[in-house]
């Protein structure tokens, strides 16, 4: 543990206070970091009390600079400042700041720093609040430290505190993400022992955790239990369960759940992500024609498909030799205005090229160009674009301007200079 004398030596060697009589509010952000450290130096110990006595207008830049000046020799001081700043009345850490602090202090590799701070709090008799602990739990969350978060939870009673739902949900989430559902379940049971009850977030995290490890029956059982106990699921909970069914190929239960969501409507109604997940799974199982029926249901509920939805359907239909259906789909979504011609035609061209139908791909490309659509999206598929250009050249098909310039612009990025020369040659 860093001693106060070492803190003093570091600060006295690296910081000089200027203009003592100026109000802190008049300092620039860069000087605020210097001011914080100088005040800590002048007051020796009592870090939190010293910080409380300063009327600081904190911002992310000031916090970042203090963290950087404390690293690497005064990391404990830096983390204590970070915790204090996280509960300051005029400031809250962003996700970026938690990430920066964890990266700078290498919390994942050096989690002992968290417990050094807690030990210092105890030794110095600091007044510690649940909010301060929550900053530490969010540090553990950012660093994905499940076991350490549990240790922090077990430390709370030493300060006369106990975790609330927010705290337990963070720790439960970490164990679910780790794949340790047994520990997550035990923590849920522990909540009732301390007069806490699972809330929507608890159930959502657990259902998603069960689905991630393939325990679909457990996920369904918990889903049923939450509804029976008056906790109404929202679209996030439904989607977590639906995603689990799709991921492990249980399409019958996925379609049944989707129908239930459509009937529930409101906050439980499926959105574009929900429908697209089901469509992707059906297409992956070579059931793209059936996926078109899901698109019908989607539009009937007033939910328009996006580029990912349509791209998935076009690709699936082409793979299953349902090219005519793909043509009809393109006409349909372009007329509705939900997806652009460029995205539809580009996906169509690439899909045909990938399944070995270059002549059909060339036909779609010419339709695309003749309708005045630029093949900009082909830039994401340079290999297929280059191969298609070769097919057109081998058939003696010559494009006229501005099509030559458009295609050449795409192919330049493929690095095949000779192909570009052939295409642009008169």
């Amino acid at each position: 543990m860093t001693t106060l004398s070492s803190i003093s030596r570091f600060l006295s060697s690296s910081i000089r206070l200027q203009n003592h009589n100026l109000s802190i509010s008049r300092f620039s952000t860069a000087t605020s970091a210097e001011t914080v450290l100088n005040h800590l130096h002048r007051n020796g110990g009592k870090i939190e009390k010293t910080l409380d006595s300063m009327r600081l207008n904190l911002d992310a830049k000031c916090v970042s600079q203090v963290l950087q000046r404390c690293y690497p020799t005064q990391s404990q001081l830096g983390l204590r400042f970070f915790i204090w700043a996280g509960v300051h009345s005029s400031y809250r850490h962003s996700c970026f700041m938690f990430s920066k602090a964890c990266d700078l202090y290498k919390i994942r590799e050096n989690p002992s720093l968290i417990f050094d701070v807690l030990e210092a709090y105890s030794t110095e008799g600091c007044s510690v609040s649940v909010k301060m602990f929550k900053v530490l739990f969010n540090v553990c969350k950012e660093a994905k430290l499940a076991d350490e978060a549990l240790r922090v939870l077990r430390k709370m009673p030493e300060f006369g505190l106990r975790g609330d739902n927010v705290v337990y949900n963070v720790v439960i989430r970490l164990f679910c993400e780790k794949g340790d559902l047994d520990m997550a379940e035990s923590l849920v049971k522990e909540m009732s022992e301390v007069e806490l009850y699972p809330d929507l977030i608890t159930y959502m995290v657990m259902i998603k955790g069960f689905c991630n490890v393939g325990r679909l029956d457990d996920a369904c059982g918990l889903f049923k239990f939450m509804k029976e106990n008056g906790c109404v699921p929202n679209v996030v909970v439904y989607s977590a369960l639906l995603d689990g069914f799709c991921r492990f190929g249980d399409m019958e239960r996925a379609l049944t759940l989707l129908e239930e969501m459509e009937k529930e409507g409101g906050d439980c109604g499926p959105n574009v992500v929900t429908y697209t997940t089901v469509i992707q799974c059906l297409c992956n199982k070579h059931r793209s024609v059936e996926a078109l029926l899901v698109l019908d249901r989607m539009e009937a509920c007033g939910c328009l498909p996006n580029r990912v939805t349509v791209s998935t359907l076009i690709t699936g239909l082409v793979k299953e030799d349902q090219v005519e259906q793909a043509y009809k789909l393109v006409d349909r979504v372009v007329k509705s205005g939900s997806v652009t011609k460029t995205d539809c035609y580009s996906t169509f061209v690439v899909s045909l090229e990938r399944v070995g139908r270059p002549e059909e791909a060339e036909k779609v490309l010419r339709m695309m160009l003749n309708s005045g659509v630029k093949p900009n999206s082909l830039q994401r598929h340079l290999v297929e674009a280059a191969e298609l250009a070769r097919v057109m050249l081998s058939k003696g098909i010559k494009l006229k301007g501005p099509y030559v310039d458009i295609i050449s612009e795409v192919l330049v990025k493929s690095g095949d200079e000779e192909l570009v020369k052939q295409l642009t040659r008169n």
Side-chain angles (χ1 to χ4, degrees), residues 126-276:
C126 292
S127 177
V128 182
S129 66
V130 173
K131 287 184 178 180
M132 292 171 71
F133 265 96
K134 285 181 178 178
V135 176
L136 279 177
F137 282 114
N138 281 321
V139 168
C140 291
K141 178 183 175 182
E142 179 63 34
K144 301 187 184 303
L145 297 172
D147 294 321
E148 287 74 9
L150 182 59
R151 278 185 64 193
V152 174
L153 178 63
R154 300 299 182 232
K155 285 279 185 182
M156 292 186 75
E158 296 178 16
F159 295 88
L161 304 170
R162 71 174 191 175
D164 57 13
N165 273 52
V166 174
V167 167
Y168 270 92
N169 285 341
V170 169
V171 184
I172 290 168
R173 183 192 296 270
L174 283 167
F175 277 103
C176 285
E177 291 176 350
K178 184 182 178 182
D180 189 346
L181 271 297
D182 292 335
M183 178 56 74
E185 280 188 286
S186 70
L187 287 168
V188 174
K189 292 177 182 177
E190 182 180 306
M191 290 177 72
S192 62
E193 297 171 5
V194 294
E195 299 180 348
L196 295 174
Y197 299 96
D199 57 19
L200 184 64
I201 295 176
T202 316
Y203 287 118
M204 184 274 291
V205 168
M206 287 297 301
I207 289 171
K208 186 175 181 180
F210 281 134
C211 288
N212 285 342
V213 296
R215 292 171 57 176
L216 300 182
D217 289 337
D218 288 328
C220 289
L222 187 58
F223 181 74
K224 181 180 179 181
F225 179 82
M226 72 176 288
K227 291 197 293 182
E228 291 174 348
N229 283 270
C231 188
V232 180
N234 61 10
V235 69
V236 178
V237 178
Y238 271 104
S239 296
L241 187 57
L242 187 72
D243 186 62
F245 290 151
C246 289
R247 186 182 306 179
F248 289 92
D250 194 340
M251 289 311 303
E252 281 27 79
R253 280 206 281 191
L255 291 168
T256 299
L257 186 65
L258 180 64
E259 184 177 359
E260 181 180 331
M261 293 176 71
E262 290 170 338
K263 289 179 180 178
E264 288 285 341
D267 291 339
C268 297
N271 55 31
V272 64
V273 176
T274 313
Y275 281 112
T276 301

Side-chain angles (χ1 to χ4, degrees), residues 93-109:
H93 293 313
S94 64
C95 293
F96 173 78
M97 284 306 302
F98 275 106
S99 176
K100 182 165 187 174
C102 287
D103 290 343
L104 181 62
Y105 289 117
K106 298 179 173 59
I107 297 295
R108 184 164 180 79
E109 296 79 15

